[in-house]
Short mmCIF file of all heavy atoms in Angstrom, two decimals:
data_model
loop_
_atom_site.label_atom_id
_atom_site.label_comp_id
_atom_site.label_asym_id
_atom_site.label_seq_id
_atom_site.Cartn_x
_atom_site.Cartn_y
_atom_site.Cartn_z
N MET A 63 28.45 30.40 46.81
CA MET A 63 29.92 30.47 46.77
C MET A 63 30.36 31.38 45.61
O MET A 63 29.63 31.54 44.63
CB MET A 63 30.51 29.07 46.55
CG MET A 63 30.31 28.60 45.11
SD MET A 63 31.07 27.05 44.73
CE MET A 63 30.64 26.94 43.00
N TYR A 64 31.59 31.92 45.76
CA TYR A 64 32.09 32.75 44.67
C TYR A 64 32.63 31.89 43.54
O TYR A 64 33.41 30.98 43.76
CB TYR A 64 33.22 33.67 45.16
CG TYR A 64 32.68 34.90 45.82
CD1 TYR A 64 32.70 35.03 47.20
CD2 TYR A 64 32.11 35.92 45.06
CE1 TYR A 64 32.17 36.17 47.82
CE2 TYR A 64 31.59 37.04 45.66
CZ TYR A 64 31.61 37.17 47.05
OH TYR A 64 31.08 38.27 47.64
N VAL A 65 32.16 32.17 42.34
CA VAL A 65 32.68 31.50 41.16
C VAL A 65 33.83 32.34 40.62
O VAL A 65 34.88 31.84 40.27
CB VAL A 65 31.57 31.35 40.10
CG1 VAL A 65 32.15 30.87 38.77
CG2 VAL A 65 30.51 30.37 40.58
N CYS A 66 33.62 33.66 40.58
CA CYS A 66 34.58 34.58 40.01
C CYS A 66 35.04 35.57 41.05
O CYS A 66 34.24 36.41 41.50
CB CYS A 66 33.92 35.30 38.83
SG CYS A 66 34.99 36.52 38.07
N LEU A 67 36.29 35.46 41.46
CA LEU A 67 36.80 36.36 42.49
C LEU A 67 37.13 37.74 41.92
O LEU A 67 36.95 38.75 42.59
CB LEU A 67 38.05 35.76 43.14
CG LEU A 67 37.78 34.54 44.03
CD1 LEU A 67 39.09 34.00 44.55
CD2 LEU A 67 36.86 34.90 45.18
N CYS A 68 37.58 37.79 40.68
CA CYS A 68 37.92 39.09 40.07
C CYS A 68 36.71 40.02 40.07
O CYS A 68 36.81 41.19 40.38
CB CYS A 68 38.42 38.91 38.66
SG CYS A 68 39.98 38.04 38.53
N GLN A 69 35.56 39.47 39.70
CA GLN A 69 34.36 40.29 39.56
C GLN A 69 33.38 40.10 40.71
O GLN A 69 32.33 40.74 40.75
CB GLN A 69 33.65 39.96 38.24
CG GLN A 69 34.50 40.21 37.01
CD GLN A 69 34.60 41.69 36.67
OE1 GLN A 69 34.85 42.52 37.54
NE2 GLN A 69 34.37 42.04 35.44
N GLY A 70 33.71 39.21 41.63
CA GLY A 70 32.83 38.96 42.78
C GLY A 70 31.47 38.41 42.37
O GLY A 70 30.43 38.86 42.85
N VAL A 71 31.50 37.43 41.49
CA VAL A 71 30.24 36.84 41.01
C VAL A 71 30.04 35.48 41.68
O VAL A 71 30.95 34.64 41.67
CB VAL A 71 30.24 36.67 39.48
CG1 VAL A 71 28.93 36.07 39.00
CG2 VAL A 71 30.48 38.03 38.80
N THR A 72 28.86 35.28 42.24
CA THR A 72 28.56 34.01 42.91
C THR A 72 27.76 33.09 41.98
O THR A 72 27.20 33.53 40.98
CB THR A 72 27.71 34.25 44.17
OG1 THR A 72 26.46 34.81 43.77
CG2 THR A 72 28.40 35.20 45.13
N ASP A 73 27.70 31.81 42.37
CA ASP A 73 26.90 30.89 41.56
C ASP A 73 25.43 31.31 41.60
O ASP A 73 24.70 31.15 40.61
CB ASP A 73 27.09 29.42 42.01
CG ASP A 73 26.72 29.17 43.44
OD1 ASP A 73 26.79 30.12 44.25
OD2 ASP A 73 26.37 28.04 43.78
N GLY A 74 25.00 31.88 42.72
CA GLY A 74 23.61 32.36 42.82
C GLY A 74 23.32 33.47 41.81
O GLY A 74 22.24 33.51 41.21
N GLN A 75 24.29 34.35 41.60
CA GLN A 75 24.11 35.43 40.63
C GLN A 75 24.03 34.89 39.21
O GLN A 75 23.29 35.40 38.38
CB GLN A 75 25.26 36.44 40.73
CG GLN A 75 25.08 37.43 41.87
CD GLN A 75 26.36 38.22 42.05
OE1 GLN A 75 27.31 37.75 42.63
NE2 GLN A 75 26.39 39.41 41.51
N ILE A 76 24.81 33.85 38.96
CA ILE A 76 24.76 33.22 37.62
C ILE A 76 23.38 32.59 37.42
O ILE A 76 22.75 32.78 36.38
CB ILE A 76 25.88 32.16 37.49
CG1 ILE A 76 27.24 32.86 37.49
CG2 ILE A 76 25.70 31.35 36.21
CD1 ILE A 76 28.44 31.93 37.46
N ARG A 77 22.89 31.89 38.43
CA ARG A 77 21.55 31.29 38.32
C ARG A 77 20.48 32.37 38.12
O ARG A 77 19.61 32.22 37.28
CB ARG A 77 21.21 30.47 39.57
CG ARG A 77 22.03 29.24 39.64
CD ARG A 77 21.44 28.16 40.50
NE ARG A 77 22.44 27.09 40.55
CZ ARG A 77 23.35 27.00 41.53
NH1 ARG A 77 23.33 27.82 42.55
NH2 ARG A 77 24.25 26.05 41.47
N ASP A 78 20.59 33.43 38.91
CA ASP A 78 19.59 34.51 38.78
C ASP A 78 19.59 35.09 37.38
O ASP A 78 18.54 35.37 36.82
CB ASP A 78 19.86 35.62 39.80
CG ASP A 78 19.41 35.24 41.20
OD1 ASP A 78 18.67 34.22 41.33
OD2 ASP A 78 19.81 35.92 42.14
N ALA A 79 20.78 35.25 36.80
CA ALA A 79 20.86 35.82 35.44
C ALA A 79 20.13 34.92 34.46
O ALA A 79 19.45 35.40 33.54
CB ALA A 79 22.33 35.97 35.03
N ILE A 80 20.24 33.61 34.67
CA ILE A 80 19.54 32.67 33.78
C ILE A 80 18.03 32.72 34.03
O ILE A 80 17.24 32.77 33.08
CB ILE A 80 20.12 31.25 33.96
CG1 ILE A 80 21.54 31.23 33.39
CG2 ILE A 80 19.23 30.21 33.25
CD1 ILE A 80 22.34 30.02 33.72
N TYR A 81 17.65 32.76 35.31
CA TYR A 81 16.21 32.85 35.60
C TYR A 81 15.63 34.16 35.05
O TYR A 81 14.47 34.23 34.69
CB TYR A 81 15.93 32.74 37.10
CG TYR A 81 16.36 31.41 37.70
CD1 TYR A 81 16.91 31.33 38.98
CD2 TYR A 81 16.22 30.22 36.98
CE1 TYR A 81 17.34 30.13 39.51
CE2 TYR A 81 16.64 29.01 37.50
CZ TYR A 81 17.20 28.97 38.77
OH TYR A 81 17.61 27.79 39.30
N ASP A 82 16.47 35.18 34.99
CA ASP A 82 16.01 36.47 34.46
C ASP A 82 16.07 36.55 32.93
O ASP A 82 15.82 37.59 32.36
CB ASP A 82 16.85 37.63 35.04
CG ASP A 82 16.51 37.88 36.50
OD1 ASP A 82 15.46 37.40 36.95
OD2 ASP A 82 17.32 38.55 37.17
N GLY A 83 16.44 35.47 32.28
CA GLY A 83 16.35 35.45 30.82
C GLY A 83 17.61 35.14 30.02
O GLY A 83 17.51 34.99 28.81
N CYS A 84 18.79 35.08 30.67
CA CYS A 84 19.97 34.72 29.90
C CYS A 84 19.87 33.26 29.48
O CYS A 84 19.48 32.41 30.28
CB CYS A 84 21.24 34.86 30.75
SG CYS A 84 21.69 36.54 31.05
N CYS A 85 20.20 32.97 28.22
CA CYS A 85 20.09 31.56 27.83
C CYS A 85 21.37 31.03 27.21
O CYS A 85 21.34 30.05 26.50
CB CYS A 85 18.88 31.33 26.95
SG CYS A 85 18.80 32.46 25.60
N SER A 86 22.48 31.66 27.50
CA SER A 86 23.76 31.09 27.08
C SER A 86 24.85 31.59 28.02
O SER A 86 24.67 32.59 28.73
CB SER A 86 24.07 31.52 25.64
OG SER A 86 24.30 32.91 25.62
N TYR A 87 25.98 30.91 27.95
CA TYR A 87 27.13 31.31 28.75
C TYR A 87 27.56 32.73 28.38
O TYR A 87 27.86 33.54 29.24
CB TYR A 87 28.27 30.31 28.54
CG TYR A 87 29.57 30.77 29.12
CD1 TYR A 87 29.73 30.89 30.51
CD2 TYR A 87 30.63 31.11 28.31
CE1 TYR A 87 30.91 31.34 31.06
CE2 TYR A 87 31.82 31.55 28.85
CZ TYR A 87 31.96 31.66 30.22
OH TYR A 87 33.13 32.10 30.74
N ARG A 88 27.50 33.00 27.08
CA ARG A 88 27.91 34.32 26.62
C ARG A 88 27.04 35.43 27.21
O ARG A 88 27.54 36.47 27.67
CB ARG A 88 27.85 34.37 25.08
CG ARG A 88 28.71 35.47 24.50
CD ARG A 88 28.79 35.32 23.01
NE ARG A 88 27.43 35.43 22.45
CZ ARG A 88 27.02 36.45 21.74
NH1 ARG A 88 27.84 37.41 21.43
NH2 ARG A 88 25.79 36.49 21.31
N GLU A 89 25.74 35.20 27.24
CA GLU A 89 24.84 36.20 27.82
C GLU A 89 25.07 36.37 29.31
O GLU A 89 25.04 37.49 29.83
CB GLU A 89 23.37 35.82 27.55
CG GLU A 89 22.97 36.09 26.12
CD GLU A 89 21.52 35.70 25.84
OE1 GLU A 89 20.75 35.43 26.79
OE2 GLU A 89 21.18 35.67 24.66
N VAL A 90 25.31 35.26 29.99
CA VAL A 90 25.59 35.33 31.42
C VAL A 90 26.87 36.13 31.66
O VAL A 90 26.95 36.97 32.56
CB VAL A 90 25.72 33.92 32.04
CG1 VAL A 90 26.26 33.98 33.46
CG2 VAL A 90 24.36 33.21 32.01
N ARG A 91 27.86 35.91 30.81
CA ARG A 91 29.12 36.63 30.96
C ARG A 91 28.92 38.12 30.75
O ARG A 91 29.44 38.94 31.49
CB ARG A 91 30.17 36.08 29.98
CG ARG A 91 31.57 36.43 30.37
CD ARG A 91 32.56 35.91 29.39
NE ARG A 91 32.22 36.36 28.06
CZ ARG A 91 32.75 35.87 26.95
NH1 ARG A 91 33.63 34.91 27.03
NH2 ARG A 91 32.39 36.34 25.79
N GLU A 92 28.14 38.47 29.73
CA GLU A 92 27.88 39.89 29.47
C GLU A 92 27.09 40.53 30.60
O GLU A 92 27.30 41.68 30.97
CB GLU A 92 27.13 40.04 28.15
CG GLU A 92 28.08 39.92 26.96
CD GLU A 92 27.36 39.67 25.64
OE1 GLU A 92 26.12 39.72 25.61
OE2 GLU A 92 28.06 39.39 24.64
N THR A 93 26.14 39.79 31.16
CA THR A 93 25.28 40.34 32.21
C THR A 93 25.98 40.46 33.56
O THR A 93 25.88 41.49 34.23
CB THR A 93 24.02 39.46 32.37
OG1 THR A 93 23.39 39.36 31.10
CG2 THR A 93 23.05 40.05 33.38
N THR A 94 26.70 39.41 33.96
CA THR A 94 27.29 39.40 35.31
C THR A 94 28.73 39.88 35.33
O THR A 94 29.24 40.24 36.38
CB THR A 94 27.26 37.97 35.91
OG1 THR A 94 28.07 37.13 35.09
CG2 THR A 94 25.84 37.41 35.98
N GLY A 95 29.40 39.81 34.18
CA GLY A 95 30.81 40.18 34.16
C GLY A 95 31.72 39.01 34.53
O GLY A 95 32.94 39.15 34.59
N VAL A 96 31.12 37.84 34.76
CA VAL A 96 31.91 36.67 35.15
C VAL A 96 32.92 36.32 34.05
O VAL A 96 32.63 36.43 32.86
CB VAL A 96 30.97 35.46 35.46
CG1 VAL A 96 30.35 34.86 34.22
CG2 VAL A 96 31.70 34.39 36.25
N ALA A 97 34.13 35.97 34.47
CA ALA A 97 35.20 35.55 33.57
C ALA A 97 35.65 36.61 32.57
O ALA A 97 36.15 36.28 31.51
CB ALA A 97 34.80 34.27 32.81
N THR A 98 35.47 37.87 32.93
CA THR A 98 35.90 38.91 32.00
C THR A 98 37.28 39.48 32.36
O THR A 98 37.76 40.38 31.70
CB THR A 98 34.88 40.07 31.93
OG1 THR A 98 34.64 40.54 33.25
CG2 THR A 98 33.57 39.62 31.30
N GLN A 99 37.88 38.95 33.45
CA GLN A 99 39.23 39.43 33.76
C GLN A 99 40.28 38.35 33.57
O GLN A 99 40.76 38.17 32.45
CB GLN A 99 39.27 40.03 35.15
CG GLN A 99 38.55 41.38 35.16
CD GLN A 99 38.84 42.15 36.41
OE1 GLN A 99 39.94 42.07 36.94
NE2 GLN A 99 37.87 42.91 36.89
N CYS A 100 40.64 37.60 34.61
CA CYS A 100 41.72 36.63 34.42
C CYS A 100 41.26 35.40 33.65
O CYS A 100 42.07 34.71 33.05
CB CYS A 100 42.32 36.21 35.76
SG CYS A 100 41.27 35.11 36.71
N GLY A 101 39.97 35.11 33.71
CA GLY A 101 39.45 33.97 32.96
C GLY A 101 39.57 32.62 33.63
O GLY A 101 39.10 31.61 33.12
N LYS A 102 40.16 32.61 34.85
CA LYS A 102 40.35 31.32 35.55
C LYS A 102 39.03 30.66 35.94
O LYS A 102 38.97 29.46 36.15
CB LYS A 102 41.19 31.53 36.81
CG LYS A 102 42.65 31.56 36.52
CD LYS A 102 43.43 31.56 37.83
CE LYS A 102 44.87 31.94 37.57
NZ LYS A 102 45.41 32.82 38.61
N CYS A 103 38.02 31.46 36.10
CA CYS A 103 36.73 30.94 36.56
C CYS A 103 35.87 30.43 35.41
O CYS A 103 34.79 29.90 35.65
CB CYS A 103 35.99 32.05 37.29
SG CYS A 103 35.78 33.48 36.23
N ALA A 104 36.32 30.59 34.18
CA ALA A 104 35.47 30.27 33.03
C ALA A 104 34.93 28.85 33.07
O ALA A 104 33.75 28.60 32.79
CB ALA A 104 36.24 30.52 31.74
N CYS A 105 35.82 27.91 33.44
CA CYS A 105 35.42 26.51 33.44
C CYS A 105 34.27 26.25 34.41
O CYS A 105 33.26 25.63 34.07
CB CYS A 105 36.65 25.71 33.83
SG CYS A 105 36.73 24.18 33.01
N VAL A 106 34.44 26.75 35.64
CA VAL A 106 33.39 26.56 36.66
C VAL A 106 32.13 27.33 36.27
O VAL A 106 31.02 26.83 36.39
CB VAL A 106 33.89 27.02 38.05
CG1 VAL A 106 32.81 26.85 39.10
CG2 VAL A 106 35.12 26.25 38.43
N ALA A 107 32.33 28.55 35.76
CA ALA A 107 31.17 29.36 35.37
C ALA A 107 30.36 28.66 34.31
O ALA A 107 29.13 28.59 34.38
CB ALA A 107 31.65 30.73 34.88
N LYS A 108 31.04 28.10 33.30
CA LYS A 108 30.34 27.38 32.24
C LYS A 108 29.57 26.19 32.80
O LYS A 108 28.46 25.92 32.38
CB LYS A 108 31.35 26.85 31.21
CG LYS A 108 31.73 27.89 30.19
CD LYS A 108 32.68 27.31 29.16
CE LYS A 108 33.42 28.44 28.48
NZ LYS A 108 34.62 28.04 27.82
N GLN A 109 30.19 25.52 33.76
CA GLN A 109 29.54 24.37 34.37
C GLN A 109 28.26 24.77 35.10
O GLN A 109 27.23 24.10 34.98
CB GLN A 109 30.52 23.73 35.33
CG GLN A 109 30.19 22.31 35.70
CD GLN A 109 31.19 21.78 36.70
OE1 GLN A 109 32.39 22.05 36.58
NE2 GLN A 109 30.72 21.07 37.69
N VAL A 110 28.32 25.87 35.85
CA VAL A 110 27.12 26.33 36.55
C VAL A 110 26.04 26.71 35.55
O VAL A 110 24.86 26.36 35.72
CB VAL A 110 27.45 27.54 37.48
CG1 VAL A 110 26.18 28.11 38.10
CG2 VAL A 110 28.42 27.14 38.55
N VAL A 111 26.44 27.38 34.47
CA VAL A 111 25.46 27.76 33.45
C VAL A 111 24.82 26.51 32.84
O VAL A 111 23.60 26.42 32.73
CB VAL A 111 26.13 28.61 32.34
CG1 VAL A 111 25.20 28.80 31.14
CG2 VAL A 111 26.57 29.95 32.89
N ARG A 112 25.66 25.55 32.50
CA ARG A 112 25.14 24.33 31.89
C ARG A 112 24.17 23.61 32.82
O ARG A 112 23.08 23.21 32.41
CB ARG A 112 26.32 23.41 31.56
CG ARG A 112 26.11 22.68 30.23
CD ARG A 112 27.30 21.81 29.87
NE ARG A 112 28.56 22.52 29.79
CZ ARG A 112 29.68 22.17 30.45
NH1 ARG A 112 29.70 21.11 31.21
NH2 ARG A 112 30.77 22.87 30.33
N GLU A 113 24.57 23.47 34.07
CA GLU A 113 23.70 22.78 35.04
C GLU A 113 22.38 23.51 35.21
O GLU A 113 21.32 22.91 35.28
CB GLU A 113 24.39 22.69 36.41
CG GLU A 113 25.38 21.56 36.49
CD GLU A 113 26.22 21.66 37.76
OE1 GLU A 113 25.84 22.41 38.70
OE2 GLU A 113 27.25 21.00 37.80
N THR A 114 22.48 24.85 35.30
CA THR A 114 21.26 25.63 35.54
C THR A 114 20.34 25.58 34.32
O THR A 114 19.13 25.38 34.47
CB THR A 114 21.61 27.08 35.89
OG1 THR A 114 22.60 27.07 36.90
CG2 THR A 114 20.38 27.85 36.34
N LEU A 115 20.92 25.70 33.14
CA LEU A 115 20.09 25.65 31.93
C LEU A 115 19.40 24.30 31.78
O LEU A 115 18.27 24.24 31.31
CB LEU A 115 20.93 25.93 30.68
CG LEU A 115 21.34 27.38 30.46
CD1 LEU A 115 22.29 27.48 29.28
CD2 LEU A 115 20.15 28.28 30.26
N SER A 116 20.06 23.24 32.23
CA SER A 116 19.45 21.93 32.06
C SER A 116 18.31 21.70 33.05
O SER A 116 17.50 20.81 32.84
CB SER A 116 20.48 20.82 32.12
OG SER A 116 21.04 20.76 33.40
N ASP A 117 18.22 22.49 34.12
CA ASP A 117 17.04 22.30 34.98
C ASP A 117 16.10 23.50 35.04
O ASP A 117 15.28 23.60 35.93
CB ASP A 117 17.37 21.73 36.36
CG ASP A 117 18.43 22.50 37.10
OD1 ASP A 117 18.32 23.73 37.18
OD2 ASP A 117 19.37 21.84 37.58
N VAL A 118 16.18 24.39 34.06
CA VAL A 118 15.20 25.50 34.00
C VAL A 118 13.95 24.94 33.32
O VAL A 118 14.06 24.22 32.35
CB VAL A 118 15.72 26.71 33.19
CG1 VAL A 118 14.64 27.77 33.04
CG2 VAL A 118 16.90 27.32 33.90
FE1 FES X 412 36.72 35.31 37.17
FE2 FES X 412 39.22 36.13 37.36
S1 FES X 412 38.15 34.81 38.73
S2 FES X 412 37.82 36.58 35.82
#
């Protein structure tokens, strides 16, 4: 599903960024561009990052 409509970032892309080595929300944001425009997706994006990091 799309987490960030402004940048077209899906939850799968966020997970992939973490599997590829990102280890914080900030790194995921820099890598995928998630939440870099309106910022409305930040809450959900952070949640996906947190969930993914806890099961890597
Ligand atoms: Fe992610 Fe707007 S929906 S920055």
Side-chain angles (χ1 to χ4, degrees):
M63 73 175 182
Y64 278 105
V65 170
C66 178
L67 290 177
C68 294
Q69 300 284 47
V71 180
T72 64
D73 59 334
Q75 280 170 281
I76 293 176
R77 290 202 185 93
D78 284 347
I80 291 169
Y81 298 142
D82 288 344
C84 287
C85 50
S86 67
Y87 169 67
R88 201 171 61 111
E89 284 180 12
V90 169
R91 199 181 54 193
E92 282 163 8
T93 305
T94 62
V96 73
T98 54
Q99 287 194 35
C100 74
K102 277 188 194 140
C103 56
C105 215
V106 179
K108 276 182 200 161
Q109 199 183 319
V110 174
V111 170
R112 218 177 303 127
E113 279 170 16
T114 310
L115 285 174
S116 66
D117 52 50
V118 175

